Amino acid sequence: MEVIAIFDASKAYIFLGVFLAVVLLVVFAILVDLWDGVQTARVTGQRVHSHKLRVTMAKMSEYFRFVVIGFLIDCVGMLFSFYVMPFVVILFGIGLILVEVKSMLEHARRRKSRTTELPAIIQAILDCRHEKDAHIIIEQLNKSKIEINEIESKNKGEDKRV
């Protein structure tokens, strides 16, 4: 059994192709997260700052460094005959894509959150001329909270039955 193989060009092309595919998938995930973040900012009424775009570029270069480190480890593994795929690059790529998916799920939670309505609600309470009017608004908010909780619990019950 030959443990160390002589350089195989076809194996190198496979490793390079997988590396490039993982890099493209990670960049695509970052861009989708950026797009999702911009949409969330628009929905929640926040401004999109150029600082966030610079952070995205820094994140892209940091992620690229991770994938390159994985590729270098895989290049060492390529010398062994039993090492047939760039496993470290694939593992790092999956991890980075999962981080971006988690970020998009956080954006979805922010879009569904009612905290974006807080300034308008607070202003409505402050604009009340009488304390009685403010209590009416607060009662309506509590009633809508109860209705939302009932809908959520009903949906959770349906999810369990499926």
Side-chain angles (χ1 to χ4, degrees), residues 27-126:
V27 167
F28 181 72
I30 291 170
L31 293 176
V32 169
D33 179 47
L34 173 65
W35 172 68
D36 193 48
V38 169
Q39 287 300 110
T40 300
R42 284 187 182 148
V43 167
T44 58
Q46 297 173 334
R47 253 187 62 203
V48 178
H49 300 280
S50 63
H51 172 72
K52 295 287 185 185
L53 301 176
R54 283 193 301 270
V55 169
T56 298
M57 295 305 294
K59 179 171 45 171
M60 217 178 277
S61 67
E62 186 174 333
Y63 284 10
F64 183 72
R65 279 190 295 257
F66 273 114
V67 177
V68 167
I69 289 169
F71 184 68
L72 292 175
I73 293 168
D74 286 331
C75 284
V76 172
M78 193 181 347
L79 297 175
F80 300 99
S81 61
F82 59 88
Y83 204 82
V84 293
M85 287 291 290
F87 300 111
V88 179
V89 166
I90 293 170
L91 184 68
F92 282 10
I94 289 171
L96 295 172
I97 290 170
L98 288 176
V99 167
E100 293 304 309
V101 168
K102 183 179 180 283
S103 175
M104 287 183 264
L105 292 174
E106 290 170 358
H107 292 159
R109 260 187 243 116
R110 270 188 31 216
R111 282 192 303 267
K112 290 181 182 178
S113 173
R114 296 193 62 199
T115 56
T116 57
E117 300 171 6
L118 279 179
I121 293 170
I122 292 170
Q123 189 60 47
I125 293 171
L126 291 175

Side-chain angles (χ1 to χ4, degrees), residues 147-160:
E147 290 172 0
I148 289 171
N149 288 338
E150 288 173 358
I151 291 169
E152 286 177 352
S153 64
K154 182 181 175 184
N155 288 341
K156 286 180 183 177
E158 289 175 359
D159 290 343
K160 290 178 183 176

Side-chain angles (χ1 to χ4, degrees), residues 7-21 71 78 84 86:
F7 181 75
D8 184 9
S10 63
K11 193 175 184 181
Y13 287 135
I14 290 172
F15 275 54
L16 192 59
V18 171
F19 168 73
L20 292 174
F71 184 68
M78 193 181 347
V84 293

